[in-house]
Each structure stands twice: as structure tokens, then as C-alpha cells.
Amino acid sequence: TFCVFWIFFTCATASVNRAPFDLAEAESELVAGFHTEYSGLRWSFFFMAEYGSMFLVSGLGVILFFGGWNGPIPIMHIIGWADSGGLTGYLANLAGCVNFMLKATVGVTVMIWIRWTLPRLRIDQVITTCLKYCVPIAAICFLGALAWEALDIPSPNDLDLMSSQPKSTVRENWVVPTR
């Protein structure tokens, strides 16, 4: 999943038109377009939409790769607050939302950091990155995951102490209590 995350992050950065993939604003076009046509509040709407899309893509990455609203240790599930209702259930949900927002904010910060660090790419470099690297690596990762499931290769989730439960409940028992 580490390789798939970096492919996702590269494609997500390109999809929100952040440098180094911001092809909509080439060097010769920086004085044209919305930079000169809009000012004030209308200009800020463009950039708030850009940062909103960055947060949306980072939130999707958090859900897919970084455990969503769960922390590295499911403390709220260990102490039993997530399974109960009332104030403790509310506090557990609030802690999950804060955890999700912090992870997504870190993703946006990394995207901003990459924009400050890397130079802008030309169109041929972007196409090369996409077609020569991202697509083949993603296809290999997909075929690897398909073979992993088809051949029933053991995973770290098979090394659980609760051998009476099926494989799918090893991670899910953090979220859904088994009764």
C-alpha cells in the first residue's frame, strides 16, 4: 500500500492543479487568465476552491490509507467510549473528527510544501510521469493485489490471537464491536 499511496498522492496533486503539475498556469500564462481578470473576493474564491479540493483529496487519502478517524492506537475503543452512547460516545466521535481533520491538514501541508520545493514541470514531463511511471506501477500493484487474493497468500492479519474469527474482523473489530 506504500507504493499505491505515492501513486495516489502524485495523481491527487496533479488533479488539484498544484505545482509541479499546474499546467493551467504555464510561465507565459501567469499574467493572463484569472490572475488579471479577477481581484479581491472573486480571486479568493478561486483559491479557496483550490484549497478546498486539496483538503477533499487529502481527506480521501486519510480514509483510504491512514485509518480515517481512528488513531494509531484505538484508545476510545479500548476504554469503551466509542461503543457507548451519551456524552462518552459524543466525545469519542469528536475525537475521531479531530483526528481526521489533523490528518487531512497534514496532507494539505505536505501538498503546499511540495509546491514550495519542486519546480514546475513541462507538459512532456507530466505526460511521461503519468504514462511511463504512474499507470504501469498502478497496474502492477493492482495485479499484485489480485494475485494476493486469488492465491490466498497469508497476510499480517492472519497472525491474530483471535483465530476463531474470520480474517475480515481483525481490523474491523476496532470500528464495529463484536457482540
Side-chain angles (χ1 to χ4, degrees):
T1 59
F2 183 74
C3 180
V4 175
F5 168 72
W6 286 111
I7 292 170
F8 170 80
F9 189 75
T10 302
C11 294
T13 304
S15 72
V16 295
N17 288 333
R18 296 293 291 179
F21 302 106
D22 54 345
L23 297 177
E25 299 118 19
E27 292 293 334
S28 62
E29 297 169 350
L30 287 177
V31 295
F34 66 89
H35 289 285
T36 56
E37 293 174 11
Y38 297 110
S39 64
L41 187 63
R42 289 179 286 183
W43 180 78
S44 69
F45 284 157
F46 275 101
F47 279 93
M48 288 299 109
E50 183 174 321
Y51 285 108
S53 65
M54 286 170 54
F55 192 80
L56 182 73
V57 165
S58 295
L60 184 62
V62 165
I63 290 171
L64 292 175
F65 298 104
F66 294 118
W69 54 88
N70 289 324
I73 300 172
I75 295 172
M76 296 298 174
H77 291 279
I78 291 172
I79 61 177
W81 284 15
D83 302 332
S84 63
L87 182 62
T88 56
Y90 174 76
L91 290 176
N93 288 335
L94 182 65
C97 288
V98 168
N99 195 9
F100 178 82
M101 296 294 240
L102 287 175
K103 289 178 186 179
T105 303
V106 167
V108 171
T109 305
V110 170
M111 283 187 186
I112 292 170
W113 177 29
I114 287 174
R115 182 181 179 122
W116 292 339
T117 306
L118 298 176
R120 181 175 286 127
L121 298 176
R122 297 185 318 260
I123 183 69
D124 62 326
Q125 293 170 329
V126 172
I127 291 173
T128 300
T129 301
C130 181
L131 294 178
K132 282 180 82 173
Y133 300 112
C134 289
V135 171
I137 292 172
I140 289 170
C141 289
F142 175 72
L143 291 175
L146 191 67
W148 190 293
E149 285 296 317
L151 299 174
D152 200 26
I153 299 172
S155 71
N157 287 342
D158 293 334
L159 302 174
D160 65 335
L161 299 175
M162 301 173 286
S163 59
S164 64
Q165 295 179 347
K167 289 192 314 184
S168 62
T169 58
V170 175
R171 279 187 69 187
E172 295 298 321
N173 64 0
W174 287 8
V175 180
V176 180
T178 56
R179 296 186 201 265

